[in-house]
Amino acid sequence: MSTQNDSNRGLSIHYLILITVIVAAGLSQGLLLPVLSIFLEQMGVSSSVNGLNAAALYVGSFAMTLVAERTLGALGFKKLVSAGLVLVLVSVILFPLVPSVKVWFVLRLLVGIGDSAVHYAAQLWVLMVTPAEYRGRNLSLYGMSYGLGFSFGPLGIQLLKYGNAVPFIVLALLMLLVLVLVWAKLPDFRPERTEGEAQPPRRFRRSYALAWYALLPALLYGYMEAGINSNFPVYGLRTGMGESQIAFLLPFIGIGGLILQLPLGMLSDRFGRKNVLIACGLIGGAAFMAVPLAETATAGLVLLLCVAGGMVGSFFSLGLAYAADILPKALLPAANVVASFHFNIGSIAGPNIGGILMQYGWNGGVFVVMGLAFALFGAVGTAFRTSGGRSQEPL
């Protein structure tokens, strides 16, 4: 009994360290995006070049997903998390030392690679060490931790009054402390490999065949997150909202997600991941489609955005938890790569689809099409049946 308690305590400590890692990763992105944009604006850089510079982070993230599984197999979890943290740490130190648009593009690329490596390894680690009955709760806490870090990151702007390098110094010290914690306290191990699963294409095909429905939420989440952040300000201006009203309303998507992420994760542990995803897709989809009906009424928009964000804000973590329920353990690294691909594809598609709809005069189409996508996902879920995976036993 004592040995079992020691093992459970060890898992809890490791989980808390991984949560700390992901909060730091969220802080790095949440701080760097606005601070560097401010600097580039002050340097007289055009808004288009400013946006392109910011996009380098996502290019780096996408590039990392191409080699994430092989790199994890070669380095193991601890070394990949550590390497990602080192890459971000070095980049953060160099930003204030080399104030060049071209150099910053490269550094943002490296931050994207580092953050993606941290996310991939930490996320998969949580999946593999969490018993099935707590998977929804733990993945939801993981998602909330990143959201909290990302939300607090912009507060680093307040440090600029003490000097332009201060936000970077504070972030670098934080990343260094987290790196020391990871290296000193986390165990060093690698994901399982099984015979007959040696080729990545086969693992990807099997992941899709067994868990395609569980991997779709990452695509929809990326579509929603990038689409809302890029299109809502334009939608608001075109429908008669003021800038202050837009700035007030936009955070409620994230607020709804933070409020409901843990309760939905716990409900999925009790009533099943698929049932919760179906319900969230249908309710969230309906809320999105109703947004144009609220027009510019602040109270109505707050309610609808909170409900919509709350319902779909857990899609990425719940989808991964559902995939972990379905798939053999050896397929989880491949499934994590697929989820990352889906998220990136959705993040690219969301702003472009919304922009095209508004360009042709259908402003409300931003929310109607998004809502239909989530509602369709919910409807399709009633026909999805698992086969050939594994039961929901503890790992």
Side-chain angles (χ1 to χ4, degrees), residues 54-144:
L57 188 145
Y58 300 103
V59 174
S61 177
F62 188 82
M64 182 60 204
T65 62
L66 298 174
V67 297
E69 189 184 9
R70 287 176 180 264
T71 307
L72 178 63
L75 297 179
F77 287 98
K78 177 177 177 176
K79 290 177 182 175
L80 184 56
V81 170
S82 300
L85 290 171
V86 167
L87 209 51
V88 175
L89 172 62
V90 172
S91 300
V92 167
I93 293 171
L94 290 176
F95 274 118
L97 296 178
V98 191
S100 163
V101 175
K102 293 180 179 179
V103 173
W104 282 7
F105 183 91
V106 174
L107 292 177
R108 287 207 206 201
L109 200 69
L110 295 177
V111 170
I113 293 171
D115 273 340
S116 182
V118 169
H119 274 294
Y120 178 78
Q123 194 167 257
L124 183 57
W125 203 338
V126 171
L127 275 174
M128 298 185 79
V129 302
T130 300
E133 63 267 26
Y134 301 119
R135 192 171 288 138
R137 181 198 67 183
N138 284 5
L139 262 293
S140 294
L141 283 170
Y142 178 94
M144 285 177 64

Side-chain angles (χ1 to χ4, degrees), residues 275-287:
N275 293 331
V276 173
L277 282 168
I278 289 173
C280 287
L282 293 173
I283 297 170

Side-chain angles (χ1 to χ4, degrees), residues 47-60:
S47 59
S48 60
V49 173
N50 198 327
L52 180 64
N53 201 274
L57 188 145
Y58 300 103
V59 174

Side-chain angles (χ1 to χ4, degrees), residues 117-192:
V118 169
H119 274 294
Y120 178 78
Q123 194 167 257
L124 183 57
W125 203 338
V126 171
L127 275 174
M128 298 185 79
V129 302
T130 300
E133 63 267 26
Y134 301 119
R135 192 171 288 138
R137 181 198 67 183
N138 284 5
L139 262 293
S140 294
L141 283 170
Y142 178 94
M144 285 177 64
S145 300
Y146 176 79
L148 287 172
F150 191 85
S151 299
F152 280 111
L155 295 177
I157 294 173
Q158 302 297 324
L159 297 174
L160 290 173
K161 60 188 176 184
Y162 301 108
N164 288 346
V166 173
F168 301 97
I169 294 171
V170 172
L171 181 58
L173 289 173
L174 175 65
M175 301 302 289
L176 180 60
L177 288 173
V178 173
L179 176 61
V180 171
L181 187 64
V182 167
W183 198 253
K185 296 295 184 180
L186 288 182
D188 192 8
F189 73 101
R190 302 182 184 190
E192 293 180 0

Side-chain angles (χ1 to χ4, degrees), residues 227-262:
I228 290 292
N229 287 332
S230 299
N231 296 144
F232 185 75
V234 180
Y235 168 84
L237 291 172
R238 292 190 177 187
T239 54
M241 298 182 200
E243 291 181 4
S244 60
Q245 186 181 11
I246 293 170
F248 171 75
L249 290 170
L250 190 55
F252 281 98
I253 288 279
I255 291 170
L258 286 173
I259 291 172
L260 291 183
Q261 192 155 43
L262 181 57

